[in-house]
């Protein structure tokens, strides 16, 4: 389910910040930052108040007239590769999309099991779930962790900008 509740975001941010303070593991800090960015960007009114939730149903594209569950949050393999073609590293033939897809466990055929999609709305779609750590991605692509972090940040910014057009 893709609906985002403000109270869930508040609790999750606190938990991830606690985990970071205890462990000093950067992944917890990064997740907390992402949550707080989302709340400030998408759940905060221009007058300073907060929205209680973001609806799970959205339009897959500007042309669509029928909303679908999670359409705002999922991506096809082709969309990501079209939007993130920038080469990375030195002459290795890898792209920003390769790093992004590996990090989030994307698959060409989509990463949502049929059993988890009874209405078929997520067929051939990818739900972005971190499947590989920044360290694992850096090892796979033979790049420094800070480079991977920079690439992932750039990719998320590009995809967010495109998603705003949906």
């Amino acid at each position: 389910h893709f609906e985002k509740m403000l109270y869930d975001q508040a609790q999750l941010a606190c938990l991830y910040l606690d985990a970071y303070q205890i462990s000093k593991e950067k992944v917890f800090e990064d997740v907390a930052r992402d949550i707080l960015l989302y709340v400030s960007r998408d759940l905060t009114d221009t007058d300073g108040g907060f929205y209680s939730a973001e609806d799970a149903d959205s339009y897959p594209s500007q042309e669509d007239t029928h909303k679908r569950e999670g359409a705002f949050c999922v991506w096809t393999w082709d969309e990501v590769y079209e939007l993130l073609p920038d080469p990375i590293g030195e002459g290795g033939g890898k792209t920003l999309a390769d790093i992004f897809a590996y990090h989030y466990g994307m698959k060409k055929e989509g990463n949502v099991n049929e059993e988890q999609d009874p209405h078929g709305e997520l067929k051939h779609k990818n739900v972005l779930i971190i499947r590989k750590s920044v360290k694992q991605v850096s090892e796979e692509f033979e790049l420094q962790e800070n480079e991977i972090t920079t690439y992932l940040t750039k990719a998320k910014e590009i995809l967010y900008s495109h998603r705003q057009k949906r």
Side-chain angles (χ1 to χ4, degrees), residues 23-140:
S23 70
K24 301 298 184 217
E25 290 186 39
K26 186 156 177 20
V27 66
F28 297 128
E29 176 191 13
D30 293 343
V31 172
R33 285 183 187 279
D34 285 347
I35 291 168
L36 296 172
L37 172 63
Y38 166 73
V39 169
S40 66
R41 183 188 62 212
D42 297 332
L43 292 180
T44 304
D45 185 72
T46 55
D47 291 330
F50 292 98
Y51 302 116
S52 63
E54 182 175 38
D55 190 7
D57 295 337
S58 55
Y59 296 108
S61 71
Q62 286 181 321
E63 298 79 35
D64 284 298
T65 57
H66 176 70
K67 288 184 176 184
R68 292 180 183 250
E69 171 80 17
F72 196 65
C73 303
V74 296
W75 298 91
T76 67
W77 181 268
D78 290 342
E79 282 177 311
V80 168
Y81 274 81
E82 180 182 313
L83 293 166
L84 305 175
D86 298 357
I88 54 105
E90 295 183 21
K94 298 294 183 180
T95 66
L96 193 55
D98 292 322
I99 287 177
F100 190 84
Y102 185 75
H103 180 63
Y104 286 103
M106 293 183 67
K107 298 177 182 177
K108 285 184 182 181
E109 68 278 7
N111 65 8
V112 179
N113 294 330
E114 286 182 40
E115 299 83 35
Q116 296 171 319
D117 183 25
H119 303 292
E121 292 183 314
L122 302 174
K123 190 173 185 175
H124 304 297
K125 307 284 185 186
N126 287 279
V127 175
L128 302 182
I129 301 170
I130 296 174
R131 298 291 186 193
K132 301 289 183 182
S133 69
V134 169
K135 182 177 182 177
Q136 290 170 310
V137 178
S138 72
E139 290 169 357
E140 175 70 19

